[in-house]
Amino acid sequence: MKNIWTKLIMASIVGGAIAGAAGALAQQIDVPLPGHRIVINSRSAAFEFADQNQLTFGVDGDSRLIFLTEPLAQRIAVLDRFTGQEIGQVPAPPSGFLLPFSIRVPSAGRLVVLDPGGFPNPAVPSIARVYDYDYQWNEASRTFSATLARTVSFAGLPVIFVEDVEVTSSGLYVVAESVIGALWVIHPDGTITPGVFPSSGVPIPQLGPCALPAVTVEGIPFGAPGGFAPGVVSLTSRAGDLYFGTTCSGGLYRIPIQSLVDGLRSPDQRAQDIAVVSPRPAGTFESFEGLAVNRFNIHDNAVYACDSFHLQILRIDASTGARTVIAADPLLFNFPVKLQFLPPVLGVSPLVVASDQEYRLAAINSALSHDILQPPWIVTKVLVFDPY
């Protein structure tokens, strides 16, 4: 499989007379167009898919479309999966998007959007919301349409800033809160209950925040405002388990999804079921701001992670915790934050990755006096060679 795709990708970037054929091929399967940056190793082929003029964050898609959040622009772009061209926008809810952040496409035609309601501000309380959209793509007219189907509000709940949402196979949604350090559950009827929460007031070590140590990214000092390192920031799920990553503790953890709704124990007691899958290596600092599993490959038991501070993508064996770097490049993964596998088309199920360059943004990196951004924001596709 690896050799076939290597030859295909190399053929697709040849100029001249082949360029037209490569462009036609890219209309049907996930290969790079001529002139796009590409990095190939023994584990993957990563290539530049789309260039955006706005800071990007959440990403997911189906067999035809890719959805991309642009939090600072307060919008969600809809891209053609094969050309990277923008073909529409997700209509904002009646109150508008405040900070469209993480997204999920649990199935074609359904989009789930997490909006934290703005960045944490003691003077202006933020209200997080989760929006469910039904959407359609008309291939004949090349038009996108979407309707808001449900809004779930966290108003009145002890929530300061939410970072990620996961749609589980059971129908439960799980939301990660990174300042208090908690996991919230949205039930199919829209009710919200605490899954794991520090009810006693004592932070849960695996979920809670802490002080950020001195760290550099690509040689650039990184400091969070107030020296704050958030707690749980990323989620994914498979086979009855929820996997999560934190900035404070680093590493990868899991908890049975059923534990989050265990009525016999309090929300803080449920934390006893948290198990470490892959601990942070000693002497290092890391944050897995994005996690994904390949739900389209039953043989792949790995969890894939955005190793944000090291500008690379990891494969973590869910059984042993062993880590493998599958792709690394400072431009293609310019502080990668979210990633998801797309449904297979002609047998190809690529990983799509969004980066936000936040270590170069003075509003997030307190070690900077001004922005040193490198536009455009590159959305990357990764063809992962199956090790199984």
Side-chain angles (χ1 to χ4, degrees):
M1 186 66 167
K2 176 181 67 175
N3 291 336
I4 292 173
W5 277 109
T6 300
K7 292 177 181 178
L8 179 59
I9 293 167
M10 294 307 294
S12 74
I13 60 175
V14 176
I18 299 180
L25 182 62
Q27 295 287 332
Q28 306 174 53
I29 57 177
D30 295 279
V31 298
L33 291 172
H36 284 205
R37 184 178 180 88
I38 179 171
V39 175
I40 302 175
N41 59 41
S42 62
R43 297 166 296 279
S44 71
F47 58 89
E48 180 181 358
F49 160 67
D51 298 340
Q52 299 296 110
N53 294 322
Q54 298 286 341
L55 183 147
T56 58
F57 193 80
V59 66
D60 202 352
D62 60 23
S63 60
R64 194 63 185 86
L65 308 173
I66 286 180
F67 299 92
L68 186 67
T69 67
E70 297 179 348
L72 302 185
Q74 298 179 313
R75 74 182 197 121
I76 302 175
V78 184
L79 309 182
D80 186 299
R81 166 169 167 168
F82 304 109
T83 67
Q85 296 178 339
E86 184 169 327
I87 52 180
Q89 292 185 42
V90 176
S95 58
F97 286 125
L98 299 178
L99 194 72
F101 222 53
S102 295
I103 53 176
R104 292 292 189 274
V105 180
S107 61
R110 174 58 64 119
L111 174 68
V112 178
V113 180
L114 174 68
D115 189 328
F119 290 110
N121 184 343
V124 183
S126 300
I127 298 175
R129 294 176 176 86
V130 174
Y131 300 107
D132 283 50
Y133 282 88
D134 293 324
Y135 71 85
Q136 291 182 326
W137 168 251
N138 188 311
E139 192 68 53
S141 62
R142 291 187 58 80
T143 55
F144 171 82
S145 59
T147 302
L148 182 61
R150 185 181 76 167
T151 300
V152 176
S153 172
F154 281 76
L157 294 174
V159 169
I160 297 177
F161 190 75
V162 293
E163 298 255 4
D164 204 2
V165 60
E166 171 66 355
V167 179
T168 72
S169 59
S170 67
L172 299 176
Y173 294 9
V174 183
V175 173
E177 202 284 344
S178 65
V179 177
I180 295 173
L183 300 172
W184 291 87
V185 177
I186 301 176
H187 296 261
D189 64 359
T191 59
I192 305 173
T193 58
V196 180
F197 185 85
S199 309
S200 65
V202 178
I204 295 170
Q206 303 96 323
L207 298 175
C210 63
L212 181 72
V215 63
T216 62
V217 182
E218 194 68 4
I220 298 172
F222 185 94
F228 178 83
V232 57
V233 293
S234 56
L235 303 170
T236 192
S237 63
R238 187 171 190 174
D241 285 325
L242 179 78
Y243 295 86
F244 65 88
T246 85
T247 297
C248 177
S249 301
L252 177 67
Y253 300 82
R254 81 169 137 231
I255 185 172
I257 295 171
Q258 189 59 37
S259 296
L260 304 178
V261 291
D262 181 358
L264 299 179
R265 292 181 294 172
S266 66
D268 53 350
Q269 290 173 333
R270 297 169 189 164
Q272 298 169 3
D273 292 344
I274 295 175
V276 61
V277 177
S278 183
R280 179 175 63 197
T284 65
F285 186 82
E286 65 185 7
S287 177
F288 298 157
E289 295 209 17
L291 297 174
V293 296
N294 189 351
R295 57 192 174 98
F296 309 107
N297 183 349
I298 61 174
H299 303 292
D300 190 347
N301 79 328
V303 176
Y304 294 79
C306 290
D307 187 359
S308 305
F309 284 90
H310 301 106
L311 313 186
Q312 60 189 9
I313 306 300
L314 301 180
R315 176 196 284 127
I316 303 174
D317 189 297
S319 299
T320 68
R323 304 179 176 198
T324 303
V325 177
I326 63 167
D329 184 79
L331 290 181
L332 293 180
F333 308 106
N334 201 347
F335 210 89
V337 284
K338 296 298 175 188
L339 76 174
Q340 289 293 329
F341 279 94
L342 301 179
V345 173
L346 298 180
V348 181
S349 181
L351 194 62
V352 62
V353 184
S355 301
D356 70 354
Q357 301 186 30
E358 66 184 61
Y359 70 107
R360 296 176 172 274
L361 186 65
I364 296 178
N365 184 357
S366 61
L368 298 179
S369 60
H370 60 279
D371 294 343
I372 52 174
L373 297 168
Q374 295 178 315
W377 282 261
I378 296 175
V379 182
T380 299
K381 279 185 181 175
V382 183
L383 302 179
V384 180
F385 302 144
D386 192 344
Y388 304 95

